[in-house]
Each structure stands twice: as structure tokens, then as C-alpha cells.
Amino acid sequence: AVKIQAEAVVSRAKAEAEAITMKAQAEGERAKLLAATPLGEKLSLLEIYGDMVKQSNEGVQKVVYVDPAMTQAGNPFALLTLQMLQKDLTQLGGTAQQPVPPA
């Protein structure tokens, strides 16, 4: 009975490892496909900005007003804004403000 349980544990661990490997491969393929498109570049940048905001807000217990002048680009203490995201997209050669051509 112990041997059967041990084999079941090993079999389950192998199945979980295979599932993790397959998921990692699928995510890698998805990342390659997204990176090959302009939209993928923008989504990646937006995800990075989103993660930065989430991490910077972890454990925040109070909010302090910041003068809007502090949000100017080039200020290392500047808050992340949509304008700064737009500037980064533009610098990446994005087409954020260009209309999408009809299909």
C-alpha cells in the first residue's frame, strides 16, 4: 500500500511538472507572437507600467497630494501618467495616435 501511494505521488509530481512545462512553452510562444506586432509592444509596455504602479502602491496606507508640476517629464520623482506612457509609446515608434487603416 505504501509503494502504491509513493508511485501515485511520483506520478502526480511528474504530471504537474509536465503541465508547468507545457504552460511555460505556451506562454513563451504567446510572448514571441505578441512581440512581433506593434500591439504586442504596446501591451508589454502597458503591462510593465501596470506592474510598476501595483508594486509602488503595495502597503500604501495614506495618500499625499503632489503638486501637478511634479508630473513633468524628466523629473525622476514624477508620477506615472498617461501622457508619459504616450510619450514612451511614441519613442518606441508606436502608432498610438494614428488611425487604424480599414481592413
Side-chain angles (χ1 to χ4, degrees):
V2 174
K3 185 176 180 180
I4 293 172
Q5 283 181 329
E7 288 176 0
V9 169
V10 168
S11 180
R12 183 175 178 185
K14 284 182 182 179
E16 287 177 3
E18 260 184 53
I20 290 169
T21 301
M22 289 173 58
K23 185 176 179 182
Q25 288 173 343
E27 285 294 322
E29 183 66 24
R30 179 180 175 268
K32 283 181 193 175
L33 292 173
L34 272 177
T37 66
L39 177 60
E41 290 176 2
K42 293 173 189 167
L43 288 174
S44 295
L45 184 62
L46 185 60
E47 186 175 342
I48 290 169
Y49 267 74
D51 289 344
M52 284 182 359
V53 170
K54 271 193 271 185
Q55 289 175 357
S56 68
N57 287 333
E58 284 180 8
V60 172
Q61 295 181 0
K62 61 182 169 181
V63 177
V64 178
Y65 173 78
V66 176
D67 188 323
M70 291 296 291
T71 63
Q72 298 299 316
N75 181 346
F77 301 108
L79 300 173
L80 293 174
T81 64
L82 290 175
Q83 290 80 15
M84 291 174 67
L85 175 61
Q86 179 65 38
K87 180 182 172 203
D88 287 347
L89 288 173
T90 303
Q91 288 176 346
L92 281 174
T95 57
Q97 292 186 346
Q98 295 177 2
V100 176

Coordinates of all heavy atoms in Angstrom, one line a residue:
A1 N 0.8 -1.2 0.0 CA 0.0 0.0 0.0 C 0.9 1.3 0.0 O 0.5 2.2 -0.7 CB -0.9 0.0 1.2
V2 N 2.0 1.2 0.7 CA 2.9 2.4 0.8 C 3.5 2.6 -0.6 O 3.7 3.7 -1.0 CB 3.9 2.2 1.9 CG1 5.0 3.3 1.8 CG2 3.3 2.1 3.3
K3 N 3.9 1.5 -1.2 CA 4.5 1.6 -2.5 C 3.6 2.2 -3.6 O 4.0 3.0 -4.4 CB 5.0 0.2 -3.0 CG 5.8 0.2 -4.3 CD 6.3 -1.2 -4.7 CE 7.0 -1.1 -5.9 NZ 7.6 -2.4 -6.3
I4 N 2.3 1.8 -3.5 CA 1.3 2.3 -4.4 C 1.1 3.8 -4.2 O 1.0 4.6 -5.1 CB -0.1 1.6 -4.2 CG1 0.1 0.2 -4.7 CG2 -1.2 2.3 -5.0 CD1 -1.1 -0.7 -4.4
Q5 N 1.1 4.3 -2.9 CA 1.0 5.7 -2.6 C 2.2 6.5 -3.1 O 2.1 7.6 -3.6 CB 0.8 5.9 -1.1 CG -0.6 5.6 -0.6 CD -0.7 5.8 0.9 OE1 0.3 5.7 1.7 NE2 -1.9 6.2 1.4
A6 N 3.4 5.9 -2.9 CA 4.6 6.5 -3.4 C 4.6 6.7 -4.9 O 4.9 7.7 -5.4 CB 5.8 5.7 -2.9
E7 N 4.1 5.6 -5.6 CA 4.1 5.7 -7.0 C 3.0 6.8 -7.5 O 3.3 7.5 -8.5 CB 3.7 4.3 -7.6 CG 4.8 3.3 -7.6 CD 4.4 2.0 -8.0 OE1 3.3 1.8 -8.4 OE2 5.3 1.1 -8.0
A8 N 1.9 6.8 -6.8 CA 0.9 7.8 -7.1 C 1.5 9.3 -6.9 O 1.2 10.2 -7.7 CB -0.3 7.6 -6.2
V9 N 2.2 9.5 -5.8 CA 2.8 10.8 -5.5 C 3.8 11.1 -6.6 O 3.8 12.3 -7.2 CB 3.5 10.8 -4.2 CG1 4.3 12.1 -4.0 CG2 2.4 10.7 -3.1
V10 N 4.6 10.2 -7.0 CA 5.6 10.4 -8.1 C 4.9 10.7 -9.4 O 5.3 11.6 -10.1 CB 6.6 9.2 -8.2 CG1 7.4 9.3 -9.5 CG2 7.5 9.1 -7.0
S11 N 3.9 9.9 -9.7 CA 3.1 10.1 -10.9 C 2.5 11.5 -11.0 O 2.5 12.2 -12.0 CB 2.1 9.0 -11.1 OG 1.3 9.2 -12.2
R12 N 1.9 11.9 -9.9 CA 1.3 13.2 -9.8 C 2.3 14.3 -9.9 O 2.0 15.3 -10.6 CB 0.6 13.4 -8.4 CG -0.2 14.6 -8.3 CD -1.0 14.7 -7.0 NE -1.6 16.0 -6.9 CZ -2.3 16.4 -5.9 NH1 -2.4 15.6 -4.8 NH2 -2.8 17.6 -5.8
A13 N 3.5 14.2 -9.3 CA 4.5 15.2 -9.4 C 5.0 15.3 -10.9 O 5.2 16.4 -11.4 CB 5.7 14.8 -8.5
K14 N 5.1 14.2 -11.6 CA 5.5 14.2 -13.0 C 4.5 14.9 -13.8 O 4.8 15.7 -14.7 CB 5.7 12.8 -13.5 CG 7.0 12.2 -13.0 CD 7.2 10.8 -13.6 CE 8.5 10.1 -13.1 NZ 8.6 8.7 -13.7
A15 N 3.2 14.6 -13.6 CA 2.1 15.3 -14.3 C 2.1 16.8 -14.1 O 1.9 17.6 -15.0 CB 0.8 14.7 -13.9
E16 N 2.3 17.2 -12.8 CA 2.4 18.6 -12.5 C 3.5 19.3 -13.2 O 3.4 20.4 -13.7 CB 2.4 18.8 -11.0 CG 1.1 18.6 -10.3 CD 1.2 18.7 -8.8 OE1 2.3 19.1 -8.3 OE2 0.2 18.4 -8.1
A17 N 4.7 18.6 -13.2 CA 5.9 19.2 -13.9 C 5.6 19.3 -15.4 O 6.0 20.3 -16.0 CB 7.1 18.3 -13.6
E18 N 5.0 18.3 -16.0 CA 4.7 18.4 -17.4 C 3.7 19.5 -17.7 O 3.9 20.3 -18.7 CB 4.0 17.1 -17.8 CG 5.0 16.1 -18.5 CD 4.2 14.9 -19.1 OE1 3.2 15.1 -19.8 OE2 4.7 13.8 -18.7
A19 N 2.8 19.7 -16.8 CA 1.8 20.8 -17.0 C 2.5 22.2 -16.9 O 2.2 23.1 -17.7 CB 0.7 20.7 -16.0
I20 N 3.4 22.3 -16.0 CA 4.1 23.6 -15.8 C 5.0 23.8 -17.1 O 5.0 24.9 -17.6 CB 5.0 23.5 -14.6 CG1 4.1 23.6 -13.3 CG2 6.0 24.7 -14.5 CD1 4.8 23.3 -12.0
T21 N 5.6 22.8 -17.6 CA 6.5 22.9 -18.8 C 5.6 23.3 -20.0 O 6.0 24.2 -20.7 CB 7.2 21.6 -19.0 OG1 8.0 21.3 -17.9 CG2 8.1 21.7 -20.3
M22 N 4.5 22.7 -20.1 CA 3.6 23.0 -21.3 C 3.1 24.4 -21.2 O 3.1 25.1 -22.2 CB 2.5 22.0 -21.3 CG 2.9 20.6 -21.8 SD 1.6 19.4 -21.7 CE 0.3 20.1 -22.7
K23 N 2.8 24.8 -20.0 CA 2.3 26.2 -19.8 C 3.4 27.2 -20.1 O 3.1 28.2 -20.8 CB 1.8 26.4 -18.4 CG 1.1 27.7 -18.1 CD 0.5 27.8 -16.7 CE -0.1 29.2 -16.5 NZ -0.6 29.4 -15.2
A24 N 4.6 26.9 -19.7 CA 5.7 27.8 -19.9 C 6.0 27.9 -21.4 O 6.3 29.0 -21.9 CB 6.9 27.4 -19.2
Q25 N 5.9 26.8 -22.1 CA 6.1 26.8 -23.6 C 5.1 27.6 -24.3 O 5.4 28.4 -25.2 CB 6.2 25.4 -24.1 CG 7.4 24.6 -23.7 CD 7.4 23.2 -24.1 OE1 6.3 22.6 -24.4 NE2 8.5 22.5 -24.2
A26 N 3.8 27.5 -23.8 CA 2.7 28.2 -24.4 C 2.9 29.7 -24.2 O 2.7 30.5 -25.1 CB 1.4 27.7 -23.9
E27 N 3.2 30.1 -23.0 CA 3.5 31.5 -22.7 C 4.6 32.1 -23.5 O 4.6 33.2 -23.9 CB 3.7 31.7 -21.2 CG 2.5 31.6 -20.3 CD 1.5 32.7 -20.6 OE1 1.9 33.8 -20.8 OE2 0.3 32.4 -20.6
G28 N 5.7 31.3 -23.6 CA 6.8 31.7 -24.5 C 6.4 31.9 -25.9 O 6.8 32.9 -26.5
E29 N 5.6 31.0 -26.4 CA 5.1 31.2 -27.8 C 4.2 32.4 -27.9 O 4.3 33.2 -28.9 CB 4.4 29.9 -28.2 CG 3.9 30.0 -29.7 CD 5.0 29.9 -30.7 OE1 6.1 29.5 -30.4 OE2 4.8 30.4 -31.8
R30 N 3.4 32.6 -27.0 CA 2.5 33.8 -27.0 C 3.3 35.1 -26.9 O 3.0 36.0 -27.6 CB 1.6 33.7 -25.7 CG 0.6 34.9 -25.6 CD -0.3 34.7 -24.4 NE -1.1 35.9 -24.2 CZ -0.8 37.0 -23.4 NH1 0.4 37.0 -22.8 NH2 -1.6 38.0 -23.3
A31 N 4.3 35.1 -26.1 CA 5.2 36.3 -26.0 C 5.9 36.6 -27.3 O 6.0 37.7 -27.7 CB 6.2 36.1 -24.9
K32 N 6.4 35.5 -28.0 CA 7.0 35.7 -29.3 C 6.1 36.3 -30.3 O 6.4 37.2 -31.0 CB 7.6 34.4 -29.8 CG 8.8 33.9 -29.2 CD 9.3 32.6 -29.8 CE 10.4 31.9 -29.0 NZ 10.7 30.6 -29.5
L33 N 4.9 35.8 -30.3 CA 3.9 36.2 -31.3 C 3.5 37.7 -31.0 O 3.3 38.5 -31.9 CB 2.6 35.3 -31.3 CG 2.8 33.9 -31.8 CD1 1.6 33.1 -31.6 CD2 3.2 34.0 -33.3
L34 N 3.3 38.0 -29.7 CA 2.9 39.4 -29.3 C 4.1 40.3 -29.7 O 3.8 41.5 -30.1 CB 2.6 39.5 -27.9 CG 1.1 39.2 -27.5 CD1 1.0 39.2 -26.0 CD2 0.2 40.2 -28.2
A35 N 5.3 39.9 -29.4 CA 6.4 40.8 -29.6 C 6.6 41.2 -31.1 O 7.2 42.2 -31.4 CB 7.7 40.2 -29.0
A36 N 6.1 40.3 -31.9 CA 6.2 40.5 -33.4 C 5.2 41.5 -33.9 O 5.3 41.9 -35.1 CB 6.1 39.2 -34.1
T37 N 4.3 42.0 -33.1 CA 3.4 43.0 -33.6 C 3.5 44.3 -32.8 O 4.0 44.4 -31.7 CB 1.9 42.5 -33.3 OG1 1.7 42.4 -31.9 CG2 1.7 41.1 -34.0
P38 N 3.1 45.4 -33.4 CA 3.1 46.7 -32.8 C 2.3 46.7 -31.5 O 2.6 47.3 -30.5 CB 2.6 47.7 -33.8 CG 2.9 47.1 -35.1 CD 2.8 45.6 -34.9
L39 N 1.1 46.0 -31.6 CA 0.2 46.0 -30.5 C 0.9 45.2 -29.3 O 0.8 45.6 -28.2 CB -1.1 45.3 -30.8 CG -2.1 45.1 -29.7 CD1 -2.5 46.4 -29.1 CD2 -3.3 44.3 -30.2
G40 N 1.6 44.2 -29.6 CA 2.3 43.4 -28.6 C 3.3 44.3 -27.8 O 3.5 44.2 -26.6
E41 N 4.0 45.2 -28.6 CA 5.0 46.1 -27.9 C 4.3 47.0 -26.9 O 4.7 47.2 -25.8 CB 5.7 46.9 -29.0 CG 6.7 46.2 -29.8 CD 7.3 47.0 -30.9 OE1 7.0 48.3 -30.9 OE2 8.1 46.5 -31.7
K42 N 3.1 47.5 -27.4 CA 2.4 48.4 -26.5 C 1.8 47.7 -25.3 O 1.8 48.2 -24.2 CB 1.2 49.1 -27.4 CG 1.8 50.0 -28.4 CD 0.6 50.5 -29.3 CE 1.2 51.2 -30.5 NZ 0.3 51.4 -31.5
L43 N 1.3 46.5 -25.5 CA 0.8 45.7 -24.4 C 1.9 45.4 -23.4 O 1.6 45.5 -22.2 CB 0.1 44.4 -24.9 CG -1.2 44.6 -25.6 CD1 -1.7 43.3 -26.2 CD2 -2.3 45.2 -24.7
S44 N 3.0 45.1 -23.9 CA 4.1 44.8 -23.0 C 4.5 46.0 -22.1 O 4.7 45.9 -20.9 CB 5.4 44.3 -23.8 OG 5.1 43.1 -24.4
L45 N 4.6 47.2 -22.8 CA 4.9 48.4 -22.1 C 3.8 48.7 -21.1 O 4.1 49.1 -19.9 CB 5.1 49.5 -23.1 CG 5.5 50.9 -22.5 CD1 6.9 50.7 -21.8 CD2 5.6 51.9 -23.5
L46 N 2.6 48.6 -21.5 CA 1.5 48.8 -20.6 C 1.5 47.9 -19.4 O 1.2 48.3 -18.2 CB 0.1 48.7 -21.3 CG -1.1 49.1 -20.5 CD1 -1.0 50.6 -20.1 CD2 -2.3 48.9 -21.4
E47 N 1.8 46.6 -19.6 CA 1.9 45.7 -18.5 C 3.0 46.1 -17.5 O 2.9 46.0 -16.3 CB 2.2 44.3 -19.1 CG 2.2 43.2 -18.0 CD 2.3 41.8 -18.6 OE1 2.1 41.6 -19.8 OE2 2.6 40.9 -17.8
I48 N 4.2 46.5 -18.1 CA 5.3 47.0 -17.2 C 4.8 48.2 -16.4 O 5.1 48.2 -15.2 CB 6.5 47.3 -18.1 CG1 7.1 46.1 -18.7 CG2 7.5 48.1 -17.2 CD1 8.2 46.3 -19.7
Y49 N 4.2 49.1 -17.0 CA 3.7 50.3 -16.3 C 2.7 49.9 -15.2 O 2.7 50.3 -14.1 CB 3.0 51.3 -17.2 CG 3.9 52.4 -17.7 CD1 4.8 52.1 -18.7 CD2 3.8 53.7 -17.2 CE1 5.7 53.1 -19.2 CE2 4.6 54.7 -17.7 CZ 5.6 54.4 -18.7 OH 6.4 55.3 -19.1
G50 N 1.8 48.9 -15.5 CA 0.8 48.5 -14.6 C 1.4 47.8 -13.4 O 1.0 48.0 -12.2
D51 N 2.4 46.9 -13.7 CA 3.1 46.3 -12.6 C 3.9 47.3 -11.7 O 3.9 47.1 -10.5 CB 4.1 45.2 -13.1 CG 3.4 44.0 -13.7 OD1 2.2 43.8 -13.5 OD2 4.1 43.3 -14.5
M52 N 4.5 48.3 -12.3 CA 5.1 49.3 -11.5 C 4.2 50.0 -10.6 O 4.5 50.3 -9.4 CB 5.8 50.3 -12.4 CG 7.1 49.8 -13.1 SD 8.1 51.0 -14.1 CE 7.2 52.5 -14.2
V53 N 3.0 50.4 -11.1 CA 2.0 51.0 -10.3 C 1.5 50.1 -9.2 O 1.4 50.6 -8.0 CB 0.8 51.5 -11.2 CG1 -0.3 52.0 -10.3 CG2 1.3 52.6 -12.1
K54 N 1.3 48.9 -9.5 CA 0.8 47.9 -8.4 C 1.9 47.8 -7.3 O 1.6 47.9 -6.2 CB 0.6 46.5 -9.1 CG -0.8 46.3 -9.5 CD -1.1 44.9 -9.8 CE -0.7 44.6 -11.2 NZ -1.0 43.2 -11.7
Q55 N 3.1 47.6 -7.8 CA 4.2 47.4 -6.8 C 4.4 48.7 -6.0 O 4.7 48.6 -4.8 CB 5.5 47.0 -7.4 CG 5.4 45.6 -8.0 CD 6.7 45.2 -8.7 OE1 7.6 46.1 -8.9 NE2 6.8 44.0 -9.2
S56 N 4.3 49.8 -6.6 CA 4.5 51.1 -5.9 C 3.4 51.4 -4.9 O 3.6 52.1 -3.9 CB 4.7 52.3 -6.8 OG 3.5 52.5 -7.5
N57 N 2.2 50.8 -5.1 CA 1.1 51.1 -4.2 C 0.9 50.0 -3.1 O 0.1 50.1 -2.3 CB -0.2 51.1 -5.0 CG -0.3 52.4 -5.8 OD1 0.2 53.4 -5.5 ND2 -1.0 52.4 -6.9
E58 N 1.8 49.0 -3.2 CA 1.7 47.9 -2.1 C 2.0 48.5 -0.8 O 3.0 49.2 -0.6 CB 2.7 46.8 -2.4 CG 2.2 45.9 -3.5 CD 3.2 44.8 -3.8 OE1 4.2 44.6 -3.0 OE2 3.0 44.0 -4.8
G59 N 1.1 48.3 0.2 CA 1.3 48.7 1.5 C 1.0 50.2 1.8 O 1.3 50.7 2.9
V60 N 0.5 50.9 0.8 CA 0.2 52.3 0.9 C -1.0 52.4 1.9 O -2.0 51.8 1.7 CB -0.2 53.0 -0.4 CG1 -0.7 54.4 -0.2 CG2 1.0 52.9 -1.3
Q61 N -0.8 53.2 2.9 CA -1.9 53.4 3.9 C -2.4 54.8 3.9 O -3.5 55.1 4.4 CB -1.3 53.1 5.3 CG -1.0 51.6 5.4 CD -0.4 51.3 6.8 OE1 -0.4 52.1 7.7 NE2 -0.1 50.0 7.0
K62 N -1.7 55.7 3.3 CA -2.2 57.1 3.1 C -1.7 57.7 1.9 O -0.7 57.3 1.3 CB -1.9 58.0 4.3 CG -0.4 58.2 4.6 CD -0.2 59.0 5.8 CE 1.3 59.0 6.2 NZ 1.5 59.7 7.4
V63 N -2.4 58.7 1.4 CA -2.1 59.4 0.1 C -1.8 60.8 0.4 O -2.5 61.5 1.2 CB -3.3 59.3 -0.9 CG1 -3.0 60.0 -2.2 CG2 -3.6 57.8 -1.2
V64 N -0.8 61.3 -0.2 CA -0.4 62.7 0.0 C -0.5 63.4 -1.4 O -0.1 62.9 -2.4 CB 1.1 62.8 0.5 CG1 1.6 64.2 0.6 CG2 1.3 62.0 1.8
Y65 N -1.0 64.6 -1.3 CA -1.2 65.4 -2.6 C 0.2 65.8 -3.1 O 1.0 66.2 -2.4 CB -2.0 66.7 -2.3 CG -2.1 67.6 -3.5 CD1 -2.9 67.4 -4.5 CD2 -1.3 68.7 -3.5 CE1 -3.0 68.2 -5.6 CE2 -1.3 69.6 -4.6 CZ -2.2 69.3 -5.6 OH -2.2 70.1 -6.7
V66 N 0.3 65.7 -4.4 CA 1.6 66.1 -5.1 C 1.2 67.2 -6.1 O 0.3 67.1 -6.9 CB 2.2 64.9 -5.8 CG1 3.5 65.4 -6.6 CG2 2.6 63.8 -4.8
D67 N 2.0 68.3 -6.0 CA 1.7 69.4 -7.0 C 1.8 68.8 -8.4 O 2.7 68.1 -8.7 CB 2.8 70.4 -6.7 CG 2.6 71.7 -7.5 OD1 2.1 71.6 -8.7 OD2 2.9 72.8 -7.0
P68 N 0.9 69.2 -9.3 CA 0.9 68.8 -10.7 C 2.2 69.1 -11.4 O 2.6 68.4 -12.3 CB -0.3 69.5 -11.3 CG -1.2 69.8 -10.2 CD -0.3 70.0 -9.0
A69 N 2.9 70.1 -10.9 CA 4.2 70.5 -11.6 C 5.2 69.3 -11.4 O 6.2 69.2 -12.1 CB 4.8 71.7 -11.0
M70 N 5.0 68.4 -10.4 CA 5.9 67.3 -10.2 C 5.7 66.2 -11.2 O 6.5 65.3 -11.3 CB 5.7 66.7 -8.8 CG 6.1 67.6 -7.7 SD 7.9 67.9 -7.7 CE 8.5 66.3 -7.2
T71 N 4.7 66.3 -12.0 CA 4.5 65.2 -13.0 C 5.1 65.5 -14.3 O 4.9 64.8 -15.3 CB 2.9 65.0 -13.2 OG1 2.4 66.2 -13.7 CG2 2.3 64.6 -11.9
Q72 N 5.9 66.5 -14.4 CA 6.6 66.9 -15.6 C 7.6 65.8 -16.0 O 8.3 65.2 -15.2 CB 7.4 68.2 -15.5 CG 6.5 69.4 -15.2 CD 5.4 69.6 -16.3 OE1 5.7 69.6 -17.4 NE2 4.2 69.9 -15.9
A73 N 7.7 65.5 -17.3 CA 8.6 64.5 -17.8 C 10.0 64.9 -17.5 O 10.4 66.1 -17.5 CB 8.4 64.4 -19.3
G74 N 10.9 64.0 -17.3 CA 12.3 64.3 -17.0 C 12.5 64.3 -15.5 O 13.7 64.3 -15.0
N75 N 11.5 64.5 -14.7 CA 11.7 64.5 -13.2 C 11.7 63.1 -12.7 O 10.8 62.3 -12.9 CB 10.5 65.3 -12.6 CG 10.6 65.4 -11.1 OD1 11.4 64.7 -10.5 ND2 9.8 66.2 -10.5
P76 N 12.8 62.7 -12.1 CA 12.9 61.3 -11.6 C 11.9 61.0 -10.5 O 11.6 59.8 -10.3 CB 14.3 61.2 -11.0 CG 14.7 62.6 -10.7 CD 14.0 63.5 -11.7
F77 N 11.3 62.0 -9.9 CA 10.2 61.7 -8.9 C 8.8 61.9 -9.5 O 7.9 61.9 -8.8 CB 10.4 62.7 -7.7 CG 11.7 62.5 -7.1 CD1 12.7 63.5 -7.2 CD2 12.1 61.4 -6.3 CE1 14.0 63.3 -6.6 CE2 13.3 61.2 -5.7 CZ 14.2 62.2 -5.9
A78 N 8.8 62.0 -10.8 CA 7.5 62.2 -11.5 C 6.6 61.0 -11.3 O 7.0 59.9 -11.2 CB 7.7 62.5 -12.9
L79 N 5.3 61.3 -11.2 CA 4.3 60.3 -11.2 C 4.1 59.7 -12.6 O 4.2 60.4 -13.6 CB 3.0 60.8 -10.6 CG 3.0 61.4 -9.2 CD1 1.7 62.1 -8.9 CD2 3.3 60.4 -8.2
L80 N 3.7 58.5 -12.7 CA 3.4 57.9 -14.0 C 2.1 58.5 -14.4 O 1.1 58.5 -13.7 CB 3.3 56.4 -13.8 CG 4.6 55.7 -13.5 CD1 4.3 54.2 -13.3 CD2 5.6 55.8 -14.6
T81 N 2.0 58.9 -15.6 CA 0.8 59.5 -16.2 C 0.6 58.9 -17.6 O 1.4 58.3 -18.2 CB 0.9 61.0 -16.4 OG1 2.0 61.3 -17.3 CG2 1.2 61.7 -15.1
L82 N -0.7 59.1 -18.1 CA -1.0 58.6 -19.4 C -0.1 59.3 -20.4 O 0.2 58.8 -21.5 CB -2.5 58.7 -19.7 CG -3.4 57.8 -18.9 CD1 -4.8 58.1 -19.2 CD2 -3.1 56.4 -19.2
Q83 N 0.2 60.6 -20.2 CA 1.0 61.3 -21.1 C 2.4 60.8 -21.2 O 3.0 60.7 -22.3 CB 1.1 62.8 -20.7 CG -0.2 63.6 -20.9 CD -1.2 63.3 -19.7 OE1 -0.9 62.8 -18.7 NE2 -2.5 63.7 -20.0
M84 N 2.9 60.3 -20.1 CA 4.3 59.7 -20.1 C 4.2 58.4 -20.8 O 5.1 58.1 -21.5 CB 4.8 59.6 -18.7 CG 5.1 60.9 -18.0 SD 5.6 60.7 -16.2 CE 7.2 59.9 -16.4
L85 N 3.2 57.6 -20.6 CA 3.0 56.4 -21.4 C 2.9 56.6 -22.8 O 3.6 56.0 -23.6 CB 1.8 55.6 -20.9 CG 1.4 54.4 -21.6 CD1 2.5 53.3 -21.5 CD2 0.1 53.8 -21.1
Q86 N 2.1 57.7 -23.2 CA 2.0 58.0 -24.6 C 3.4 58.4 -25.2 O 3.7 58.1 -26.3 CB 1.0 59.2 -24.8 CG 0.8 59.7 -26.2 CD 0.2 58.6 -27.1 OE1 -0.7 57.9 -26.6 NE2 0.7 58.5 -28.3
K87 N 4.2 59.2 -24.4 CA 5.5 59.6 -24.9 C 6.4 58.4 -25.1 O 7.1 58.3 -26.1 CB 6.1 60.5 -23.9 CG 7.5 61.0 -24.2 CD 8.1 61.9 -23.2 CE 9.5 62.2 -23.5 NZ 10.3 62.6 -22.4
D88 N 6.3 57.4 -24.2 CA 7.1 56.2 -24.3 C 6.7 55.4 -25.5 O 7.5 54.9 -26.3 CB 7.0 55.3 -23.1 CG 7.8 55.9 -21.9 OD1 8.6 56.8 -22.1 OD2 7.6 55.4 -20.8
L89 N 5.4 55.3 -25.8 CA 4.9 54.6 -27.0 C 5.4 55.3 -28.2 O 5.8 54.6 -29.2 CB 3.4 54.5 -26.9 CG 2.8 53.6 -25.9 CD1 1.3 53.7 -25.9 CD2 3.2 52.1 -26.2
T90 N 5.4 56.6 -28.2 CA 5.8 57.4 -29.4 C 7.3 57.1 -29.6 O 7.7 57.0 -30.8 CB 5.5 58.9 -29.2 OG1 4.1 59.1 -29.0 CG2 5.9 59.7 -30.4
Q91 N 8.1 57.1 -28.6 CA 9.5 56.9 -28.7 C 9.8 55.5 -29.2 O 10.8 55.2 -29.9 CB 10.2 57.1 -27.4 CG 10.3 58.6 -27.0 CD 10.9 58.8 -25.6 OE1 11.1 57.8 -24.8 NE2 11.3 60.0 -25.3
L92 N 8.9 54.5 -28.9 CA 9.1 53.2 -29.4 C 8.7 53.1 -30.9 O 8.7 52.0 -31.5 CB 8.2 52.2 -28.6 CG 8.8 51.8 -27.3 CD1 7.8 50.9 -26.5 CD2 10.1 51.0 -27.5
G93 N 8.2 54.2 -31.4 CA 7.7 54.2 -32.8 C 6.3 53.6 -33.0 O 5.9 53.2 -34.0
G94 N 5.6 53.7 -31.9 CA 4.2 53.2 -31.9 C 3.3 54.1 -32.7 O 3.7 55.2 -33.1
T95 N 2.1 53.6 -33.0 CA 1.2 54.3 -33.8 C -0.1 54.6 -33.0 O -1.2 54.5 -33.4 CB 0.8 53.5 -35.0 OG1 0.2 52.3 -34.5 CG2 1.9 53.3 -35.9
A96 N 0.2 55.1 -31.7 CA -0.9 55.2 -30.8 C -1.9 56.3 -31.2 O -3.1 56.2 -31.0 CB -0.4 55.6 -29.4
Q97 N -1.5 57.3 -31.9 CA -2.4 58.4 -32.4 C -2.8 58.3 -33.8 O -3.6 59.1 -34.3 CB -1.8 59.8 -32.1 CG -1.7 60.0 -30.6 CD -1.2 61.4 -30.3 OE1 -0.7 62.1 -31.2 NE2 -1.3 61.9 -29.1
Q98 N -2.2 57.3 -34.5 CA -2.5 57.2 -35.9 C -3.8 56.3 -36.0 O -3.8 55.3 -35.3 CB -1.4 56.6 -36.7 CG -0.2 57.5 -36.7 CD 1.0 56.8 -37.5 OE1 0.9 55.7 -38.0 NE2 2.1 57.5 -37.5
P99 N -4.7 56.6 -36.9 CA -5.9 55.7 -37.1 C -5.5 54.4 -37.7 O -4.5 54.3 -38.4 CB -6.8 56.5 -38.0 CG -5.9 57.5 -38.7 CD -4.7 57.7 -37.8
V100 N -6.3 53.4 -37.3 CA -6.0 52.1 -37.9 C -6.6 52.0 -39.2 O -7.8 52.4 -39.4 CB -6.7 51.0 -36.9 CG1 -6.6 49.6 -37.5 CG2 -6.1 51.1 -35.6
P101 N -5.9 51.6 -40.3 CA -6.4 51.5 -41.6 C -7.5 50.5 -41.7 O -7.5 49.4 -41.0 CB -5.2 51.1 -42.5 CG -4.2 50.5 -41.5 CD -4.5 51.1 -40.2
P102 N -8.5 50.7 -42.5 CA -9.6 49.8 -42.7 C -9.1 48.5 -43.3 O -8.2 48.5 -44.1 CB -10.6 50.5 -43.5 CG -9.9 51.6 -44.2 CD -8.7 51.9 -43.4
A103 N -9.7 47.4 -42.9 CA -9.3 46.1 -43.4 C -9.9 45.8 -44.7 O -10.9 46.2 -45.1 CB -9.7 45.0 -42.4

